[in-house]
Amino acid sequence: MPSRRTVLAAAALLPLAVGARPASAAPKTVQDYYDRAAKLAGDDPVLKALVKALSPDLQMPAVQPVKPFKIFDNVAVVGTTFVQAMALLTSKGVILIDAMGSPDDARKIIIPGLRAVGVNPTHIKYVVAAHGHDDHFGGAQYLADTYGARVMMHKADWDLIAKERPEHAPKRDLEITDGQKLTLGDATIVFHHRPGHTPGTVSPVFPVRWKGRRHTAILWGGTNPPATTAAKRTYLSSVRTAAVAMRKAGVDVELNNHGGADYGLTRIEQLRAGATKNPFIIGPARTQRFMKVMETMLRGRILQDQQKAASGRSTPTCC
Ligand SMILES: [Zn+2]
Ligand SMILES: [Zn+2]
């Protein structure tokens, strides 16, 4: 007859013996990673949107205009449902993060959009391209030529566009370095190099105010996972580094230049409809969960790449 101790030990093993893996078990398949990310997201619409944005079957939204709006006392958003630019309003002028796709976008969307929310576009001092893809820098040179704004991008992405020579590329101007601070009037923005989406993607952290109260925001500079497995690994490492830095900096606001990726477009509309709580202020814990969802989805994407490589298949990736 087995001893009482043996019976208890066997009972403790029972869930594994019948095949039910405990929730904490390490994911083994691509689907395990995606399921875990979905579980982390739960019914949080911001995190659910992120899971979708990082899925291999991502569909971009149809391009529609977005009515400009001030989502914080000191942040205005202009753009379309595809891509947005954010203006950080300081006591000494405007730092514009991203510049959409073309000089036409600058002329027809950014400039009138800023005016519509009471921001004078002649006050744009800096145009920061979060990364070197044309939907983020296309209007930059026009704003530089028109208002004397300086254009900033990480060196790796200045190099990228020097090599690829895309249409509407701005002339090489100021280089962003990791950890660099830019102070304009009453605001200091910190640029963090978070390579992955491109080699020179930058995710700035900056102070925002909502009804006079100060918060700390991150704008994730490039979301769509890149084509190669090596670049996805770089992205994964950036996500992990960023999460630690964000915890230290007390980041409680999450922004994205593609508002379809993080429920941002809906959150703008919630604010426009008079939401009293700002839905972009998600708090430090949810911000960390956001990064964990990113990390988990990327691990799944990397494993998926490895399996495809092993089976000799490859999928072209865009953007
Ligand atoms: Zn991009
Ligand atoms: Zn983009």
Side-chain angles (χ1 to χ4, degrees):
M1 207 175 133
S3 72
R4 187 175 137 75
R5 182 173 292 182
T6 316
V7 171
L8 284 176
L13 289 171
L14 205 58
L16 286 175
V18 295
R21 219 158 358 108
S24 58
K28 286 190 176 143
T29 67
V30 172
Q31 197 55 49
D32 283 351
Y33 280 107
Y34 297 160
D35 289 349
R36 176 168 287 201
K39 199 171 167 195
L40 273 168
D43 59 1
D44 183 325
V46 174
L47 304 188
K48 275 167 77 177
L50 182 65
V51 168
K52 221 168 155 186
L54 296 172
S55 299
D57 52 355
L58 165 73
Q59 305 271 326
M60 281 309 212
V63 183
Q64 306 275 345
V66 168
K67 241 178 113 187
F69 196 72
K70 270 174 83 173
I71 57 171
F72 284 94
D73 303 349
N74 63 331
V75 179
V77 180
V78 294
T80 66
T81 48
F82 171 63
V83 71
Q84 302 88 45
M86 294 206 190
L88 175 60
L89 317 173
T90 83
S91 57
K92 290 266 169 67
V94 174
I95 301 172
L96 186 70
I97 306 172
D98 287 336
M100 302 190 66
S102 66
D104 250 22
D105 283 350
R107 235 179 28 242
K108 295 178 183 167
I109 299 174
I110 296 174
I111 294 171
L114 290 176
R115 286 214 170 96
V117 291
V119 178
N120 187 341
T122 67
H123 294 167
I124 301 174
K125 304 288 184 220
Y126 297 95
V127 179
V128 176
H131 69 266
H133 284 161
D134 61 1
D135 52 325
H136 302 272
F137 63 62
Q141 191 60 48
Y142 182 87
L143 297 168
D145 293 343
T146 311
Y147 304 124
R150 302 297 303 268
V151 181
M152 303 183 73
M153 194 169 359
H154 189 273
K155 178 182 187 301
D157 278 11
W158 280 121
D159 292 346
L160 180 78
I161 64 173
K163 200 172 80 188
E164 294 185 344
R165 300 172 166 275
E167 201 181 0
H168 309 313
K171 287 180 214 141
R172 195 165 189 132
D173 192 6
L174 302 175
E175 275 180 10
I176 292 172
T177 55
D178 185 34
Q180 182 185 342
K181 291 180 179 170
L182 171 71
T183 299
L184 184 65
D186 58 353
T188 297
I189 184 165
V190 187
F191 298 111
H192 295 282
H193 183 210
R194 302 293 181 223
H197 178 76
T198 62
T201 298
V202 166
S203 294
V205 169
F206 47 93
V208 296
R209 286 188 314 276
W210 172 246
K211 299 188 172 171
R213 285 194 68 172
R214 195 188 147 109
H215 297 269
T216 305
I218 187 168
L219 189 151
W220 194 252
T223 305
N224 196 23
T228 68
T229 312
K232 285 191 188 83
R233 285 188 197 286
T234 303
Y235 190 158
L236 173 63
S237 146
S238 286
V239 168
R240 290 164 60 85
T241 313
V244 174
M246 286 160 67
R247 186 181 292 126
K248 273 192 198 150
V251 170
D252 59 347
V253 170
E254 169 280 321
L255 305 169
N256 195 292
N257 42 18
H258 286 284
D262 71 342
Y263 203 61
L265 295 172
T266 308
R267 289 191 275 176
I268 293 170
E269 296 317 315
Q270 288 171 344
L271 278 171
R272 204 194 306 279
T276 45
K277 270 189 159 182
N278 189 319
F280 287 101
I281 304 169
I282 62 173
R286 236 172 117 201
T287 310
Q288 287 296 313
R289 205 149 61 235
F290 186 94
M291 301 310 285
K292 199 72 198 166
V293 166
M294 268 194 162
E295 178 185 333
T296 309
M297 286 304 292
L298 279 162
R299 288 187 187 282
R301 294 292 296 269
I302 290 167
L303 183 59
Q304 193 163 12
D305 278 6
Q306 288 167 337
Q307 290 179 351
K308 274 185 186 157
S311 69
R313 283 177 296 135
S314 73
T315 330
T317 316
C318 83
C319 322

